[in-house]
Amino acid sequence: MHIKTVSTTPIEGQKPGTSGLRMKTRVFMQPHYLENFVQSIFNAIGGIEGKSLLLGGDGRYFNQQAIQTIVKMAIAGGASHLIIGAEGIMSTPAASAIIRKFKTNGGIILSASHNAGGIDEDFGIKYNLPNGGPATARVSDRIFAYTLEIDQYQIADLDDIDIITIGETTIAETRIQIIDPVADYAELMETLFDFDAIRELFKSGFRIKFDAMHAVTGPYAKAILEGQLGAEKDSVINAVPLPDFGGGHPDPNPIHAHQLMEIMYGDDAPDFGAASDGDGDRNLIVGKNCYVTPSDSLAVMAANAKLVSGYRKGLKGVARSMPTSQALDRVAKKLDIPAFETPTGWKYFGNLLDANKVTLCGEESAGTGSSHIREKDGLWAVLFWLNFLANRKQSVAEIMADHWKTYGRNYYTRHDYEAVESDAANNLMDGLRGKLAIFPGHTINGLAIIHADEFSYHDPVDGSNATAQGIRILFDGGSRIIFRLSGTGTEGATIRVYLESFEPGPENLDQKPEDALADIIKTASQISNLEELTGRTAPDVKT
Ligand code: G1P
Ligand code: ZN
């Protein structure tokens, strides 16, 4: 086998964001682009020689070609073992589970998560650590540093290898194992949930619709929900992964999962609906006529954890990203367990999970997960819900009403302004930053500001600090407005405005969220001058 050493030069902008490096697919397809980044990962982990790696992706356009390139580079670098999902398929949570199970030296996952796929859409790559979690900020910084000084990479001069057929082969020093991407994950799920109870639930006539959005969870949901648990045939829709996700945005929110929402709000709706994203780590939960916000879902899961077989012993603690609603904190208080508030992005949960400080964590962006792996996990969240629904024998709407009666309700919505000109977005953030000191004491639209700051986080486990993680404006009574710029967008800037209003109850617990949040929404646009600075009069996406 011939190993080519290819001269290259640093390519600007290969800085990993909230979740790895995401760019337009055509950017990734440029000569040396992928190779430079992969070699930088290898360099950042002290070389790939003698190391084992998990490889897989969400099946989007360029997934298989990228895997071929990475395999050839890993062989050239002397990797000892590569585990690859057949057809290059591997959901992010399954990748995390398999890295942990087979104790590999980490993994490379090809995905741009919930972003659209196709030659004119998005592609992404991320390195996960041997604990199965996303690279920490430190490791990401090291990878980035190597991208700035790279001058060569190695690649084996080989024909493409067969990544379709399950089996094993050895090339030079490297053992290459093509595995079923579902089996190990399904096995893990069975250890966490009472499959018998869920089977009984389906047998009793309970109906589910799971929208895989033509993304990676199709094969997982089919095998587990329909195959192992006996949900009726066609419970899983859009089940075949497609390179362009059928032209849709594989983002499980009410806007993009509108087909599911129509079913769940239509005549003869099933009892339970769910969806997952491009790489299978996000989830949407919806009952019959009852959408559950991700923040509420997280809180309800924490409150019901003891009814779920793998969590029967209770939770060590919980964590949420800062913009996620405070509903979780109220449950933690009642359970008398610690609640952590971290910056946006799953990587900040890893240390807390490793240190056994938390069992359950989540984000408002439809991500929930637990200590079973080091990524958020879409299908796991669905099984978690099914397990406590099987015990409670109530509808989703009843469970929500009961939850709000007990804890009060955190009305919540997020408004996204996408592809905003970067200067305008930065001006908006700077403007707010400049007013932080004078905000407290002001009352706007009847809302009294009690505190305003820019969120920073001190990691209690490794002592690292993350600054500039979003502007927070807190109001008397528990309401909040948060402004943040997205770290995953690939075009201009995305401004995220997180809006939350707390209603302690017992009255006013079933308002329409837009009514309950009207004053907060008005206040957010007034204090940020959003319309004037960006020219936008309405958000592109409301979730
Ligand atoms: C978004 C979400 C964040 C999530 C990330 C990766 O990041 O807001 O919660 O962890 O995608 O799925 P953002 O674009 O806001 O930086
Ligand atoms: Zn995702």
Side-chain angles (χ1 to χ4, degrees):
M1 186 196 57
H2 175 61
I3 292 173
K4 284 195 291 186
T5 297
V6 181
S7 298
T8 185
T9 49
I11 298 172
E12 220 183 286
Q14 294 198 320
K15 189 172 172 54
T18 312
S19 181
L21 181 66
R22 281 190 205 171
M23 291 288 158
K24 289 289 167 203
T25 311
R26 285 187 198 272
V27 171
F28 268 101
M29 293 170 75
Q30 292 171 74
H32 310 312
Y33 194 91
L34 175 70
E35 291 86 344
N36 273 18
F37 193 73
V38 171
Q39 187 65 54
S40 299
I41 295 175
F42 292 171
N43 295 345
I45 60 171
I48 194 69
E49 193 178 349
K51 296 204 171 119
S52 56
L53 211 56
L54 180 278
L55 275 181
D58 63 10
R60 68 180 60 224
Y61 189 90
F62 194 54
N63 187 50
Q64 294 211 7
Q65 290 104 296
I67 288 191
Q68 293 290 349
T69 300
I70 300 169
V71 169
K72 290 171 196 174
M73 291 180 69
I75 294 171
S80 61
H81 186 188
L82 298 176
I83 302 177
I84 307 171
E87 298 184 38
I89 292 285
M90 182 73 68
S91 77
T92 289
S96 186
I98 291 170
I99 290 169
R100 293 169 72 77
K101 178 170 173 179
F102 294 100
K103 300 193 168 45
T104 69
N105 298 102
I108 293 180
I109 305 172
L110 301 167
S111 170
S113 187
H114 51 289
N115 296 14
I119 190 162
D120 290 314
E121 298 295 348
D122 293 349
F123 192 77
I125 175 169
K126 58 179 180 172
Y127 169 67
N128 276 33
L129 302 167
N131 74 352
T136 54
R138 274 184 192 165
V139 175
S140 298
D141 288 347
R142 217 181 313 145
I143 296 171
F144 179 54
Y146 276 105
T147 70
L148 298 176
E149 60 179 47
I150 189 162
D151 57 7
Q152 63 173 50
Y153 59 84
Q154 271 81 40
I155 186 159
D157 199 2
L158 288 172
D159 287 338
D160 281 357
I161 63 149
D162 174 6
I163 57 169
I164 309 292
T165 319
I166 290 172
E168 225 182 287
T169 152
T170 298
I171 301 178
E173 303 302 313
T174 313
R175 178 177 153 219
I176 300 169
Q177 207 184 345
I178 310 297
I179 63 163
D180 168 4
V182 177
D184 297 294
Y185 177 81
E187 197 178 278
L188 175 62
M189 292 302 112
E190 215 171 340
T191 66
L192 299 173
F193 303 113
D194 186 346
F195 273 29
D196 286 336
I198 303 174
R199 254 180 231 122
E200 282 305 313
L201 180 71
F202 284 129
K203 245 191 222 150
S204 72
F206 184 95
R207 284 158 58 223
I208 182 175
K209 270 292 174 226
F210 181 95
D211 188 352
M213 305 188 84
H214 286 304
V216 81
T217 41
Y220 294 85
K222 275 253 167 211
I224 297 173
L225 296 175
E226 293 181 21
Q228 286 179 271
L229 295 170
E232 64 183 10
K233 208 175 144 274
D234 298 328
S235 291
V236 183
I237 56 173
N238 301 318
V240 179
L242 297 174
D244 67 347
F245 308 116
H249 256 267
D251 194 358
N253 62 42
I255 313 285
H256 294 304
H258 57 88
Q259 187 187 347
L260 175 75
M261 294 303 283
E262 278 150 31
I263 295 172
M264 296 309 296
Y265 280 78
D267 296 337
D268 192 31
D271 302 283
F272 190 73
S276 189
D277 72 327
D279 60 334
D281 57 358
R282 294 186 173 199
N283 72 87
L284 173 151
I285 301 291
V286 52
K288 201 182 275 195
N289 266 298
C290 177
Y291 167 65
V292 182
T293 68
S295 293
D296 271 347
S297 173
L298 175 63
V300 170
M301 287 166 76
N304 289 281
K306 284 198 172 162
L307 297 176
V308 176
S309 58
Y311 302 84
R312 206 180 295 125
K313 291 199 189 114
L315 308 172
K316 277 269 173 206
V318 291
R320 62 166 172 83
S321 67
M322 183 276 283
T324 303
S325 100
Q326 302 159 104
L328 179 69
D329 307 18
R330 301 181 191 283
V331 176
K333 200 161 175 215
K334 185 143 193 195
L335 294 175
D336 196 22
I337 54 172
F340 294 85
E341 187 177 36
T342 60
T344 296
W346 207 260
K347 57 179 176 270
Y348 295 100
F349 294 135
N351 282 342
L352 298 173
L353 291 164
D354 281 350
N356 207 14
K357 287 182 181 296
V358 304
T359 313
L360 194 77
C361 42
E363 296 193 276
E364 53 65 44
S365 53
T368 11
S370 87
S371 50
H372 69 293
I373 54 170
R374 294 294 179 273
E375 288 277 6
K376 55 194 179 231
D377 192 343
L379 197 49
W380 164 88
V382 173
L383 295 168
F384 196 110
W385 267 86
L386 290 173
N387 198 154
F388 70 74
L389 282 170
N391 284 330
R392 287 190 57 168
K393 300 192 170 39
Q394 284 170 297
S395 70
V396 174
E398 283 163 349
I399 285 177
M400 293 316 299
D402 188 44
H403 187 88
W404 294 327
K405 214 168 86 196
T406 311
Y407 298 97
R409 180 169 179 183
N410 292 75
Y411 287 97
Y412 190 85
T413 187
R414 187 180 94 189
H415 290 183
D416 291 340
Y417 298 82
E418 294 176 344
V420 173
E421 209 214 310
S422 294
D423 284 348
N426 289 327
N427 286 342
L428 180 139
M429 294 300 281
D430 284 343
L432 286 165
R433 231 169 249 134
K435 287 189 276 189
L436 289 176
I438 56 162
F439 274 144
H442 277 71
T443 297
I444 310 171
N445 300 317
L447 295 160
I449 302 179
I450 53 166
H451 182 83
D453 67 7
E454 187 159 27
F455 183 63
S456 60
Y457 177 66
H458 176 77
D459 187 310
V461 180
D462 71 11
S464 61
N465 291 305
T467 54
Q469 296 295 324
I471 305 270
R472 300 194 288 189
I473 296 151
L474 313 186
F475 299 91
D476 192 23
S479 300
R480 300 191 307 172
I481 301 174
I482 288 139
F483 294 88
R484 222 191 118 250
L485 298 186
S486 156
T488 59
T490 55
E491 231 182 298
T494 294
I495 304 172
R496 302 203 195 284
V497 188
Y498 307 82
L499 304 142
E500 176 178 357
S501 141
F502 180 62
E503 185 57 64
E507 268 92 53
N508 300 324
L509 293 176
D510 48 14
Q511 300 174 68
K512 281 198 181 126
E514 58 269 33
D515 294 341
L517 289 160
D519 286 338
I520 285 280
I521 294 172
K522 194 157 67 177
T523 304
S525 91
Q526 284 169 357
I527 59 178
S528 63
N529 291 329
L530 194 139
E531 197 172 325
E532 195 181 310
L533 290 171
T534 64
R536 304 293 178 91
T537 50
D540 298 284
V541 182
K542 292 184 193 177
T543 49

